[in-house]
Amino acid sequence: MLAMEHLNSSGPIAFHNNTIMDHEVKGVDNATAQRNPTSAGLNMTLGILFNVMALIILIKAYNRYRRRSKATFLLFASSLVATDLTGHVIPGALVMRRYSASSGSISNLTLSFQGSPANTDASCQFLGGCMVFFGLCPLFLGCAMAAERCLGITRPLLHAQLVTTARTKTALTMIWFIALCVALLPTFQLGEYTYQHPGTWCFIRVIEGTKSTDLAFMILFSAMALSSLALAFVCNTISGITLIIARLKKRSRSERFSTRSHDTEMVVQLVGIMVTSCICWSPLLVFGLMSATRSYNNPEFKDKTTYSELMVMGVRLATWNQILDPWVYILLRRAVLRKIYRITKKQASMKGRTFSSIRLDISSLHHTEKNSVKTI
């Protein structure tokens, strides 16, 4: 999916079959530029590398805390990173294949690299399904992680009773299954995937010829995604407030404090995941709803170009979710946060010493001047 961000920076696309030849003539320079997959390949490689790094960190942590309360969280987090990694590899490989297929003539380039919303193919259906599946899965997983931590912090005894490794794996399977069922709805004629402007990515039909089933599909997708974000926000807020109250009251013993420290680390990571998902996915969800509603109510509306550009901006932000999620686990770990805290504290201490030295020098200077005046 990350590679799509670079595909979307291409030139204008013809929205109807009768304008493809005109696009061939006008887009020679763009076609030559699109033929070079270096930038997309480099960014996809970096995305895969970051996800693999985060996955290794999480697997090591899971083996270390296998029998503790943190194990469930780490299992969810590892599944989230693995899903993001798969979302890089599968759609990215298909996109790079289209790059390779475009290495022929300009005519072949236009037909293989860019598609028409009027004629979708199997690859477009697959890309559209990937957009929905790999969009819902991280949001569902982030919501499940937030709910699990909220239960673990507010009701630890109930959490120990209910949450087990077997049930966690069952929940993961259900999450992937639900997301897959939603992504496969167009197979049952409930909505349709189509090429989106500029013809290099596929999503639910929201601009051209939107039907009632397309609008319902877009509403369902957005409602499920936004509900997941809202529920995650509520759970993370409750968890954060509970931890703050516990810390202010200072009721914890040394062992309990260690547990709270782990809880704080997990909640900080969950907040990072939630903020990243909100920033990356909210624009596409909102713009998709706006476009589908406008297109369904008024098929001949005049702002199609504007809404198409908004959708492109939304998908560019959405593709960054998979590249930013791994850095939440890489950076927001206790070891890293402690190092940052120590460095910050050391810098503050050095600044304090510098200010104290300056004040001492100034006071010494004033004292010397006073003595000189008295002597005179």
Side-chain angles (χ1 to χ4, degrees), residues 1-8 40 43-44 48 83-96 126-136 138 200-203 221 280-281 284 314-323:
M1 286 172 63
L2 181 65
M4 293 179 190
E5 176 189 356
H6 305 280
L7 293 174
N8 293 336
N43 281 273
M44 191 180 75
I48 293 172
T83 302
D84 284 339
L85 178 60
T86 308
H88 266 291
V89 174
I90 296 179
L94 183 58
V95 169
M96 296 303 295
F126 182 75
L127 278 174
C130 286
M131 284 292 296
V132 172
F133 178 79
F134 291 113
L136 287 178
T200 53
W201 64 290
C202 292
F203 193 55
F221 174 72
C280 292
W281 274 100
L284 181 61
V315 76
R316 287 176 180 173
L317 286 172
T319 54
W320 276 96
N321 186 62
Q322 295 168 324
I323 195 69

Side-chain angles (χ1 to χ4, degrees), residues 195-222:
Y195 285 103
Q196 306 288 324
H197 175 74
T200 53
W201 64 290
C202 292
F203 193 55
I204 304 168
R205 184 183 292 276
V206 294
I207 298 293
E208 290 285 337
T210 304
K211 303 175 184 177
S212 58
T213 52
D214 299 319
L215 179 60
F217 188 19
M218 189 65 218
I219 291 174
L220 175 64
F221 174 72
S222 299

